[in-house]
């Protein structure tokens, strides 16, 4: 499932990028469609990296892209390993606590605060996760207890 999610995410990013290029170079695309005398030359002018991304030769920017890709791949791999060692209900509770961890790291690292409904929703998620994890909704299957 994660593979398909990643595939469709990459596909949608590609489509988004193409629509962005098409919107920035609308006149050139129309010219390419209406007068395709030299389509490769016209297409290479449209897809010129310097017009789409002025910093495409900056190694620091490519390093950040590579770091984020490697970090995402590592996170997916570690999540898969973790889900093998816990039950599906425990994994669901852990994974649904992602907004809480986001709020916590936002508070610690960026000094952000939750206000109003966001804080109330986060507190509700925390309480429900604790109640669900406690097992009070599980039936007691012990025959000795009656």
């Amino acid at each position: 499932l994660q593979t398909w999610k990643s595939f469709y995410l990459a596909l949608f990013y590609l489509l988004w990028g193409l629509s962005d290029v098409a919107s920035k170079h609308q006149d050139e695309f129309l010219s390419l469609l209406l007068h395709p005398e030299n389509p490769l030359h016209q297409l290479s002018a449209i897809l010129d990296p310097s017009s789409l991304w002025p910093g495409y030769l900056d190694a620091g920017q490519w390093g950040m892209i590579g770091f984020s890709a490697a970090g995402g791949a590592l996170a997916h791999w570690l999540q898969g390993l973790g889900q093998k060692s816990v039950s599906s209900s425990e994994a669901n509770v852990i994974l649904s606590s992602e907004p809480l961890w986001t709020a916590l790291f936002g508070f610690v690292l960026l000094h952000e605060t939750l206000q109003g409904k966001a804080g109330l929703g986060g507190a509700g998620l925390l309480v429900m996760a604790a109640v669900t994890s406690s097992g009070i909704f599980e039936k007691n299957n012990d025959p000795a207890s009656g």
Side-chain angles (χ1 to χ4, degrees):
L1 181 64
Q2 187 64 38
T3 303
W4 284 107
K5 176 184 159 189
S6 298
F7 171 77
Y8 282 115
L9 185 64
L11 177 67
F12 288 134
Y13 274 133
L14 175 66
L15 293 174
W16 179 26
L18 290 176
S19 70
D20 189 41
V21 169
S23 69
K24 288 182 180 175
H25 297 280
Q26 194 171 23
D27 295 335
E28 290 90 345
F29 269 113
L30 287 175
S31 173
L32 177 64
L33 293 174
L34 298 175
H35 309 290
E37 291 88 25
N38 192 354
L40 290 179
H41 176 69
Q42 289 173 308
L43 193 59
S44 66
I46 293 170
L47 297 177
D48 179 28
S50 63
S51 70
L52 299 175
W53 180 21
Y56 78 101
L57 292 176
D58 184 12
Q61 291 184 16
W62 282 107
M64 286 188 281
I65 291 171
F67 182 75
S68 65
L74 179 64
H76 287 301
W77 181 65
L78 289 174
Q79 179 180 338
L81 286 179
Q83 284 181 302
K84 288 180 183 178
S85 63
V86 297
S87 69
S88 60
S89 61
E90 289 174 325
N92 188 21
V93 170
I94 293 168
L95 293 175
S96 63
S97 69
E98 180 180 354
L100 300 172
W101 293 107
T102 302
L104 179 68
F105 284 118
F107 177 74
V108 171
L109 299 175
L110 304 174
H111 308 291
E112 293 182 357
T113 58
L114 291 177
Q115 299 172 6
K117 292 179 184 177
L120 186 61
L125 281 174
L126 187 58
V127 168
M128 290 310 297
V131 168
T132 305
S133 296
S134 71
I136 65 171
F137 296 117
E138 294 179 12
K139 293 182 179 180
N140 190 356
N141 294 329
D142 185 12
S145 64

